[in-house]
Amino acid sequence: MPSRQITHDAREGKGSKESLEHKWDKAKGIAEKEYGPGHWGAVEHIYQNMRDSNKHESSVELNAAERIVEDEKSDSK
């Protein structure tokens, strides 16, 4: 695991060190399953996609929560 990359990303606010380490391990498992061991470029690419997807996931969750509230308001009328 590239501790310098994880530490850098954590300092930039891209996640906690623990969550980033989990994402790295998960990305490594996916890359090894798809490409075999030693494809570090693939691991890095998958990790970066997972790391950067936090912004997208939270906005999707927020939009879903807003729709639920709007539906409840319209049902109560």
Side-chain angles (χ1 to χ4, degrees), residues 1 3 12-13 15 17 20-22 26 28-29 31 33 39 42 45-46 49 51-52 57-58 62-64 66-67 69:
M1 172 181 331
S3 60
E12 286 193 351
K17 188 173 181 179
L20 294 170
E21 287 173 345
H22 176 73
K26 191 171 181 179
K28 183 179 175 187
K33 186 176 180 181
H39 285 83
H45 180 74
I46 294 167
N49 286 340
R51 176 197 68 198
D52 295 340
E57 289 172 7
S58 57
L62 179 59
N63 289 336
E66 288 173 347
R67 283 195 303 272
V69 170

Side-chain angles (χ1 to χ4, degrees), residues 13-14 50-61:
K14 295 181 180 178
M50 293 171 74
R51 176 197 68 198
D52 295 340
S53 70
N54 279 344
K55 297 172 190 169
H56 182 280
E57 289 172 7
S58 57
S59 66
V60 169
E61 290 171 4

Side-chain angles (χ1 to χ4, degrees), residues 5-42:
Q5 179 71 43
I6 301 292
T7 303
H8 175 76
D9 291 345
R11 285 183 185 157
E12 286 193 351
K14 295 181 180 178
S16 68
K17 188 173 181 179
E18 292 79 23
S19 70
L20 294 170
E21 287 173 345
H22 176 73
K23 289 178 183 182
W24 177 266
D25 292 338
K26 191 171 181 179
K28 183 179 175 187
I30 293 168
E32 286 180 353
K33 186 176 180 181
E34 293 293 320
Y35 305 105
H39 285 83
W40 296 109

